[in-house]
């Protein structure tokens, strides 16, 4: 579609005009834009200008600019009586967002891709920002309106504004103001380029709009209010100025209303050049946020342990027998494998050789593994299966000692056993003379906080190492059907859970929150939270801030509500898996939290994790969003010259298997491990390597919408610990 409310202005200057019904926005694309309005002289290159209704304006200098006319009806659409307010540009905080929407409109119009739905949405978005941030009661503005910028001529304009119902001919003004008719006439032509009669008629017509549109007044009533001699005279002058009669104008749709700038010159422009200007301006006006790294010490924390849940024997085999994932051999200090398969099933579904290989792998790599215990029978099967295997494996390998089994743990379920029974089982396990850690699933206590408080002293005496909270069993859970409209950024404050934790005298780093839920983004029937690297970053950060760790499924589970996972059911890596891998590479480095970016100071490099904050605001995927232009200013003693930088970009596309192999294809075929690994080699985040001298300038770069950018800045020429 083509809309007449958006125009591209390319002439150097335009004659005086008046905003009659609604507001005007002007955004320069090239050069400086100078507009003199009735209240202020504007000169901008990287901002926009807003002209209110009734105001006269004159474009005295222009390179190329966008003019967007927003009729009063658009404000009525969002529930605001337009004529009760004026709209002040200095109050607007989201200027970049308004400019971005204007540029999107212009781009779509030029490329003939603008749809009615897009037009309606972008216009409504702009109006909503202006209403939310810029409106102020019109009576207050009018009380403080002055024309001092026009000097003595301003006194004439002020008199006209305050006496619209009165007779305002040149003779009447001369008589009232004691100024000669020739002087008044000359000032109007010299300053505004129009005559007195045209000026008075235009301001009266503009003032009549509140009665014409905002009520059921007759033309006679309107003419009396605004200073016209009668209804017929009002109708005649209205049509001469607007192009249609007052009654026809009342019936126009908001998108049919247009503004004429009073020039007969045609607008000539080169489409390719204009598109280039629009794209350049989009880069300049996208939301920016400086990345500043200096000697400050903000809030910091470590990437905590992460619990990887294993649900089936097949998953266990894939993990330990197929050399499938790096978690089996690396990051042992930050990973707890949580086996939810009961020991009886393990006994019958694994061969003796498989049991031996899995046990050897656990001991040789000193991995941490926890077993879920629901009953006395569960524990008996575990003790009869596990510890004889551990003992034989250690005896067969001279390099292994009993200390290799220090990562083994049992997690008892308080929902199926009382605390006294659990304590007896704990003593029984210790008789096996192996150092074993113990944890407890206390989900049900969060559903009954009073009982939790009563058991607090006993829990502390037993001194469990792990306290597991299963979000899927919380009442209500962290994400439930009733909270579909609640943003994840609000939910990850974990307010209810933290309130209970704070009442207990137990180290909050012992709590582990399991089974955070995956769900669709708010405006999409395909894209999920798992497709948004920034949302995943925020969830990881907030979980590490609040708990000892986060629990996710090693492989995607398709029964019931889906939780966060590292690999899909075919073994393809998720975005979460790649992000988590990058954090685990930090070993035991503290993370410095600066809000939308995180910094890790390491021995040979500084790693910065920067994520796009915009999608967090509404968790709605804006597929038309432009990249944000950002700068990184480092004022730190260790980064003060020319440095090598390795940069990775996670944008929900690169490194996201959903963008490479659609789920419909993944569900249709069987995927062998070698083929999956082959595809994974190519499905990696986009990267680049370059140098930058921070002593000369800040680093400028683009941050794509819905992306995380990781930059490794090497302190010297050594890249051993990449």
């Amino acid at each position: 579609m083509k809309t007449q409310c958006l125009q591209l202005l390319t002439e150097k200057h335009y004659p005086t005009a008046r905003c009659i019904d609604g507001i005007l926005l002007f955004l320069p694309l090239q050069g400086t834009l100078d507009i003199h309005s009735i209240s202020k002289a504007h000169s901008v290159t990287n901002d926009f200008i807003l002209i209110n209704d009734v105001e006269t304006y004159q474009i005295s200098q222009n390179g190329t600019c966008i003019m967007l006319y927003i009729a009063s009806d658009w404000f009525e659409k969002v529930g605001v009586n337009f004529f009760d307010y004026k709209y002040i540009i200095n109050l607007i905080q989201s200027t970049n967002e308004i400019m971005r929407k204007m540029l999107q409109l212009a781009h779509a119009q030029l490329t003939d891709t603008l749809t009615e739905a897009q037009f309606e949405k972008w216009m409504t978005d702009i109006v909503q920002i202006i209403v939310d941030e810029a409106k102020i009661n019109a009576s207050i503005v009018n009380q403080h309106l002055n024309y001092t910028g026009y000097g003595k001529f301003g006194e004439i304009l002020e008199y006209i504004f305050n006496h619209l119902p009165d007779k305002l001919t040149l003779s009447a003004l001369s008589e009232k103001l004691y100024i000669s008719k020739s002087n008044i006439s000359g000032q109007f032509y010299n300053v505004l380029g129009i005559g007195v009669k045209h000026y008075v008629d235009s301001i009266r017509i503009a003032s009549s709009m509140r009665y014409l549109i905002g009520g059921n007044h007759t033309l006679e009533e309107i003419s009396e209010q605004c200073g016209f001699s009668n209804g017929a005279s009002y109708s005649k002058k209205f049509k001469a100025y607007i192009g249609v009669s007052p009654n026809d104008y009342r019936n126009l749709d908001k998108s049919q209303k247009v503004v004429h700038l009073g020039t007969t010159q045609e607008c000539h422009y080169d489409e390719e050049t204009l598109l280039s200007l629009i794209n350049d301006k989009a880069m300049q006006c996208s939301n920016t946020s400086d990345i500043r790294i200096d000697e400050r010490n903000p809030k910091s924390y470590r990437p905590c342990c992460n619990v990887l849940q294993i649900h089936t024997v097949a998953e266990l085999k894939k993990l330990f027998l197929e050399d499938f994932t790096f978690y089996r051999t690396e990051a042992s200090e930050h990973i707890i494998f949580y086996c939810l398969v009961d020991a009886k099933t393990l006994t019958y579904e694994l061969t003796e050789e498989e049991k031996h290989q899995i046990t050897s792998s656990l001991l040789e790599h000193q991995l941490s593994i926890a077993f879920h215990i629901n009953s006395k029978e569960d524990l008996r099967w575990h003790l009869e299966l596990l510890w004889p295997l551990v003992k034989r494996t250690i005896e067969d390998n001279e390099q292994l000692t009993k200390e290799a089994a220090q990562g083994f743990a049992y997690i008892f379920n308080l929902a199926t056993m009382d605390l006294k029974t659990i304590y007896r089982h704990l003593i029984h396990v210790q008789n096996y003379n192996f150092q074993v850690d113990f944890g407890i699933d206390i989900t049900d206590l969060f559903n009954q906080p009073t009982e939790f408080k009563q058991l607090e002293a006993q829990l502390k005496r037993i001194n469990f190492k792990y306290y597991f909270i299963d979000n899927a069993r919380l009442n209500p859970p962290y994400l439930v059907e009733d909270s579909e409209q609640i943003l994840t950024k609000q939910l990850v404050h974990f307010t209810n859970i933290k309130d209970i934790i704070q009442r207990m005298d137990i180290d909050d780093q012992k709590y582990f929150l399991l089974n955070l839920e995956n769900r669709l983004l708010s405006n999409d029937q395909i894209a999920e939270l798992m497709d948004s690297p920034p949302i995943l970053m925020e969830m990881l950060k907030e979980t590490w801030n609040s708990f000892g760790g986060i629990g996710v499924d090693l492989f995607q589970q398709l029964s019931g509500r889906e939780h966060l996972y590292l690999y899909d059911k075919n073994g393809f890596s998720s975005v979460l898996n790649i992000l988590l891998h990058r954090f685990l590479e930090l070993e035991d480095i503290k993370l410095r939290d600066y809000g939308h970016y995180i910094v890790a100071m390491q021995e040979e490099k500084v790693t910065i994790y920067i994520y796009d904050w915009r999608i967090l605001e509404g968790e709605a995927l804006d597929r038309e969003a432009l990249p944000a232009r950002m700068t990184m200013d480092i004022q730190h003693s260790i980064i003060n010259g020319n440095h090598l930088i390795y940069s990775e970009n996670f944008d929900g596309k690169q490194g996201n298997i959903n963008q490479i192999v659609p789920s419909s294809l993944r569900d249709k075929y069987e995927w062998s491990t070698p083929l999956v690994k082959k595809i994974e080699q190519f499905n990696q985040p986009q990267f680049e390597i370059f140098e930058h001298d921070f002593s000369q300038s800040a680093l400028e770069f683009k941050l794509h919408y819905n992306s995380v950018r990781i930059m490794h800045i090497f302190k010297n020429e050594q890249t051993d610990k990449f």
Side-chain angles (χ1 to χ4, degrees):
M1 65 171 289
K2 291 288 186 183
T3 174
Q4 298 183 68
C5 70
L6 185 139
Q7 299 179 42
L8 291 160
L9 309 183
T10 58
E11 299 299 325
K12 291 183 178 179
H13 48 78
Y14 290 83
T16 298
R18 188 182 297 278
C19 185
I20 297 295
D21 168 27
I23 63 173
L24 286 166
L25 304 182
F26 295 88
L27 174 61
L29 296 176
Q30 185 180 45
T32 300
L33 176 64
D34 290 341
I35 297 182
H36 203 294
S37 73
I38 203 70
S39 58
K40 184 180 179 181
H42 309 265
S43 181
V44 298
T45 55
N46 296 313
D47 203 348
F48 68 90
I49 296 170
L50 187 155
I51 303 297
N52 274 285
D53 71 306
V54 185
E55 279 194 87
T56 57
Y57 61 93
Q58 183 181 40
I59 301 175
S60 57
Q61 180 177 332
N62 175 51
T64 303
C65 77
I66 297 170
M67 182 184 78
L68 180 64
Y69 170 55
I70 307 176
S72 61
D73 310 64
W74 286 100
F75 291 78
E76 302 292 336
K77 182 177 183 292
V78 299
V80 172
N81 187 341
F82 172 81
F83 298 100
D84 287 346
Y85 303 96
K86 295 295 182 183
Y87 305 89
I88 311 303
I89 192 170
N90 290 341
L91 298 179
I92 298 176
Q93 299 295 313
S94 306
T95 54
N96 285 337
E97 186 66 14
I98 290 176
M99 291 190 288
R100 188 170 70 86
K101 299 294 183 185
M102 291 177 67
L103 292 164
Q104 287 174 322
L105 272 168
H107 187 280
Q109 173 128 312
L110 271 176
T111 56
D112 203 27
T113 59
L114 183 64
T115 65
E116 290 187 13
Q118 286 176 325
F119 175 65
E120 190 84 6
K121 181 183 185 306
W122 289 334
M123 290 291 284
T124 303
D125 288 347
I126 291 171
V127 171
Q128 193 65 63
I129 292 172
I130 292 171
V131 166
D132 290 342
E133 299 182 10
K135 75 175 186 293
I136 189 168
N137 193 286
S139 61
I140 297 174
V141 175
N142 291 336
Q143 287 174 12
H144 295 88
L145 182 65
N146 65 73
Y147 299 86
T148 54
Y150 289 95
K152 284 288 184 180
F153 180 56
E155 296 177 8
I156 303 174
L157 300 179
E158 186 173 5
Y159 179 86
I160 293 172
F161 180 79
N162 292 327
H163 296 84
L164 288 180
D166 300 342
K167 189 176 182 179
L168 294 174
T169 62
L170 186 57
S171 297
L173 289 172
S174 175
E175 182 178 340
K176 291 290 183 180
L177 298 172
Y178 303 101
I179 304 174
S180 69
K181 292 189 292 184
S182 60
N183 190 340
I184 294 174
S185 180
Q187 288 192 64
F188 268 90
Y189 278 106
N190 290 335
V191 177
L192 299 179
I194 57 176
V196 174
K197 186 175 185 302
H198 181 85
Y199 180 87
V200 172
D201 285 345
S202 68
I203 194 171
R204 281 174 167 164
I205 290 169
S207 299
S208 75
M209 287 296 182
R210 69 159 42 245
Y211 305 104
L212 182 67
I213 297 173
N216 297 316
H217 302 278
T218 65
L219 298 189
E220 290 293 336
E221 291 171 338
I222 295 173
S223 66
E224 183 178 349
Q225 287 283 348
C226 299
F228 294 97
S229 56
N230 52 54
S233 174
Y234 168 58
S235 183
K236 181 179 179 181
K237 290 181 177 179
F238 188 100
K239 186 172 183 178
Y241 197 90
I242 303 296
V244 296
S245 70
N247 285 328
D248 287 340
Y249 190 86
R250 268 177 167 163
N251 296 322
L252 287 179
D253 181 75
K254 57 185 180 296
S255 59
Q256 295 176 308
K257 297 179 179 180
V258 297
V259 166
H260 301 287
L261 291 180
T263 177
T264 58
Q265 297 176 332
E266 292 186 13
C267 180
H268 298 286
Y269 55 79
D270 176 70
E271 183 176 310
E272 186 176 340
T273 301
L274 274 178
L275 286 173
S276 177
L277 290 174
I278 289 170
N279 290 333
D280 289 343
K281 180 62 70 172
M283 285 296 300
Q284 294 174 25
C285 75
S286 290
N287 281 328
T288 61
S289 180
D290 289 338
I291 307 299
R292 186 177 180 85
I293 302 171
D294 50 30
E295 306 290 347
R296 292 176 296 162
N297 290 309
K299 180 175 65 175
S300 63
Y301 50 87
R302 286 183 172 85
C304 304
C305 278
N306 299 275
V307 177
L308 307 187
Q309 300 175 115
I310 302 168
H311 291 267
T312 66
V313 171
E315 293 177 13
L316 199 66
K317 288 181 179 181
K318 202 169 189 68
L319 175 63
F320 290 106
L321 303 181
E322 296 185 19
D323 192 25
F324 176 74
T325 172
F326 92 107
Y327 295 110
R328 189 177 68 85
T329 56
E330 301 179 42
S332 58
E333 295 181 8
H334 297 283
I335 293 295
I336 301 171
F337 295 107
Y338 188 23
C339 183
L340 298 168
V341 187
D342 64 87
K344 187 175 181 179
T345 301
L346 294 174
T347 300
Y348 288 116
E349 294 190 12
L350 289 172
T351 67
E352 291 303 315
E353 178 60 26
E354 288 170 340
K355 294 172 190 174
H356 177 72
Q357 288 183 38
I358 292 172
T359 306
S360 296
S361 181
L362 288 167
L363 295 172
E364 289 170 7
H365 297 290
Q366 296 187 3
L367 301 177
S368 296
I369 186 166
F371 297 96
H372 184 74
I373 304 298
N374 267 320
S375 65
K376 180 180 179 180
E377 186 72 3
D378 261 358
L379 182 61
R380 183 180 67 81
W381 277 96
H382 266 286
L383 295 177
E384 292 179 359
L385 167 68
L386 180 62
W387 297 113
L389 264 174
V390 170
K391 187 176 180 180
R392 287 199 304 271
T393 303
I394 292 174
E395 290 173 351
D396 293 343
N397 190 331
E398 295 179 354
Q399 297 181 348
L400 294 177
T401 65
K402 289 173 59 175
E403 284 68 31
Q406 287 183 356
F408 287 56
Y410 286 124
I411 309 297
F412 295 98
N413 189 355
L414 195 56
T416 59
M417 293 178 282
D418 60 44
L419 196 55
K420 185 180 292 186
T421 301
I422 291 173
Y423 182 68
R424 286 201 300 267
H425 292 332
L426 187 150
I427 297 298
H428 181 56
V429 173
Q430 289 175 335
N431 291 333
Y432 276 74
N433 202 26
F434 280 93
Q435 185 174 338
V436 183
D437 292 320
F438 298 100
I440 186 168
D441 183 330
I442 56 170
T443 306
D444 279 23
L445 292 184
F446 277 82
N447 293 330
Q448 303 174 56
T450 303
E451 184 179 347
F452 193 178
K453 190 64 178 176
Q454 292 172 351
L455 292 176
E456 178 187 1
Q458 298 175 56
L459 290 167
K460 287 182 64 179
R461 281 197 298 271
I462 297 175
N463 194 26
F464 291 103
K465 186 173 183 178
Y466 308 113
Y467 290 83
F468 281 9
I469 308 165
D470 185 352
N471 168 71
R473 289 171 30 228
L474 285 177
N475 183 28
Y478 153 73
L479 288 178
V480 293
E481 292 181 6
D482 293 342
S483 66
E484 289 296 335
Q485 301 306 313
I486 301 177
L487 301 182
T488 299
K489 71 169 187 173
Q490 296 169 328
L491 292 168
V492 296
H493 290 158
F494 306 113
T495 305
N496 294 335
I497 298 176
K498 288 198 291 189
D499 284 347
I500 297 173
I501 289 175
Q502 288 170 4
R503 298 180 211 167
M504 308 300 161
D505 187 21
I506 297 173
D507 183 3
D508 59 8
Q509 290 302 298
K510 290 188 174 184
Y511 293 98
F512 290 76
L513 185 62
L514 280 54
N515 294 324
L516 302 187
E517 189 177 274
N518 186 27
R519 64 173 180 175
L520 293 173
L521 296 179
S522 61
N523 71 334
D524 207 292
Q525 294 303 309
I526 299 175
E528 306 169 331
L529 297 185
M530 292 282 288
D531 294 312
S532 176
I535 294 177
L536 293 174
M537 277 279 293
E538 184 76 2
M539 294 175 75
L540 286 174
K541 185 180 80 170
E542 291 301 322
T543 308
W544 289 336
N545 262 324
S546 304
F547 305 97
I550 182 175
V552 299
D553 290 329
L554 182 62
F555 289 92
Q556 180 184 21
Q557 304 299 307
L558 299 178
S559 58
R561 299 180 74 87
E562 186 178 279
H563 306 127
L564 301 186
Y565 58 88
L566 299 186
Y567 298 92
D568 80 350
K569 60 186 179 61
N570 296 296
F572 288 104
S573 181
S574 69
V575 174
L576 175 61
N577 185 40
I578 301 174
L579 281 176
L580 186 59
H581 191 169
R582 296 299 186 271
F583 276 112
L584 293 176
E585 291 171 346
L586 295 176
E587 298 176 349
D588 202 29
I589 303 298
K590 278 192 174 183
L591 301 175
R592 301 183 180 188
D593 186 3
Y594 291 87
H596 66 277
Y597 63 99
I598 299 168
V599 177
M601 294 288 188
Q602 300 166 80
E603 183 179 347
E604 294 190 359
K605 65 180 178 179
V606 176
T607 301
I608 303 125
Y609 303 79
I610 310 147
Y611 58 99
D612 182 18
W613 64 96
R614 293 172 293 178
I615 192 171
L616 296 175
E617 294 305 311
E619 288 174 19
L621 199 59
D622 184 354
R623 301 184 188 278
E624 305 295 326
L626 298 169
R629 184 178 181 181
M630 306 190 71
T631 59
M632 180 187 297
D633 184 18
I634 299 184
Q635 298 179 2
H636 199 287
S637 57
I638 59 175
I639 303 291
N640 54 13
N642 197 42
H643 294 268
L644 180 68
I645 300 173
Y646 177 90
S647 175
E648 292 181 282
N649 186 53
F650 302 76
D651 61 1
K653 297 178 182 178
Q654 302 285 341
N656 185 357
I657 191 61
N658 291 329
Q659 299 292 325
I660 306 300
V661 185
S663 59
S664 57
L665 288 181
R666 302 203 305 273
D667 293 341
K668 185 176 181 180
Y669 296 97
E670 294 291 331
W671 301 84
S672 66
T673 298
L675 179 56
V676 169
K677 287 186 175 182
K678 187 79 171 178
I679 295 172
E680 295 283 78
Q681 289 177 1
F682 297 97
N683 183 30
Q684 295 296 321
Q686 188 178 26
F687 73 91
E688 58 180 326
I689 300 174
F690 55 93
E691 282 185 315
H692 184 76
D693 191 342
F694 289 95
S695 66
Q696 297 297 315
S697 65
L699 173 65
E700 295 185 359
F701 62 95
K702 298 176 186 177
L703 183 66
H704 291 280
Y705 185 77
N706 190 34
S707 73
V708 171
R709 187 153 185 161
I710 302 177
M711 289 193 181
H712 305 275
I713 305 174
F714 292 92
K715 297 178 183 178
N716 49 50
E717 296 179 358
Q718 300 297 320
T719 58
D720 298 344
K721 295 186 178 180
F722 175 70

